[in-house]
Amino acid sequence: MDKYQIIWAFLWKLKRVEHVLSRTWRRQMTVGHVAGLPHAKQLRKLLASSYFLRHQMVHFVTNLQYYIMCEDIETCWQHLDAEIDSADDLDQLIAAHAKYLNNIVQKALLDPSQPVAASAVNLSSSYTGSIRTQLM
């Protein structure tokens, strides 16, 4: 169950970041109407960099979600399906399921024993911090 919690908590956080970025876009569009005023040149410059940052974050989050769902979970599911078909007893089914979960966690860079996982967590924290700053 721990592996399921790790996987789904990460997917939930990605969805949350996607939602916050969407909300940020709506706020930026509201502010963008004010930036259309003739005296708001500095505001337009600031908004342009803010738009770019948000766009890059959306691009990253979307690609990460695609990778995890299509390249990671879907491929591991196909392998699990094949192993289930060839399993002769319950022990082989349990082993195939454990292998399935381990593969997902490793491919999604969520395994705490991998040095890359710490970098992914730090990157996620940085994005969350940037989003909080942008919302304030």
Side-chain angles (χ1 to χ4, degrees), residues 2-15:
D2 290 340
K3 302 252 187 214
Y4 277 113
Q5 287 178 338
I6 291 169
I7 296 163
W8 298 121
F10 185 70
L11 289 172
W12 178 258
K13 287 177 186 177
L14 277 178
K15 267 302 181 195

Side-chain angles (χ1 to χ4, degrees), residues 30-51:
T30 304
V31 173
H33 294 297
V34 175
L37 299 174
H39 62 280
K41 188 174 185 172
Q42 286 289 61
L43 181 60
R44 282 193 297 273
K45 287 173 112 177
L46 182 62
L47 283 175
S49 62
S50 175
Y51 293 160

Side-chain angles (χ1 to χ4, degrees), residues 25-107:
W25 175 81
R26 287 193 304 264
R27 287 182 179 175
Q28 284 178 331
M29 292 300 105
T30 304
V31 173
H33 294 297
V34 175
L37 299 174
H39 62 280
K41 188 174 185 172
Q42 286 289 61
L43 181 60
R44 282 193 297 273
K45 287 173 112 177
L46 182 62
L47 283 175
S49 62
S50 175
Y51 293 160
F52 179 74
L53 176 62
R54 184 195 44 80
H55 176 72
Q56 293 297 318
M57 288 180 180
V58 167
H59 179 73
F60 176 77
V61 168
T62 303
N63 282 319
L64 187 56
Q65 283 177 336
Y66 169 80
Y67 169 76
I68 290 173
M69 295 303 292
C70 297
E71 302 293 330
D72 186 9
I73 294 176
E74 181 66 26
T75 356
C76 290
W77 178 260
Q78 290 170 356
H79 287 89
L80 175 65
D81 193 33
E83 288 186 27
I84 287 174
D85 289 341
S86 66
D88 295 328
D89 60 8
L90 184 60
D91 289 334
Q92 288 178 340
L93 285 175
I94 292 171
H97 183 257
K99 183 180 173 185
Y100 166 72
L101 291 177
N102 286 332
N103 286 341
I104 290 174
V105 169
Q106 287 176 350
K107 287 183 179 181

Side-chain angles (χ1 to χ4, degrees), residues 10 13 17 57 60 64 108-112 114-132:
F10 185 70
K13 287 177 186 177
V17 169
M57 288 180 180
F60 176 77
L64 187 56
L109 305 176
L110 298 173
D111 187 3
Q114 293 177 337
V116 176
S119 299
V121 169
N122 289 338
L123 183 62
S124 173
S125 299
S126 297
Y127 265 28
T128 306
S130 296
I131 290 169
R132 283 190 188 128

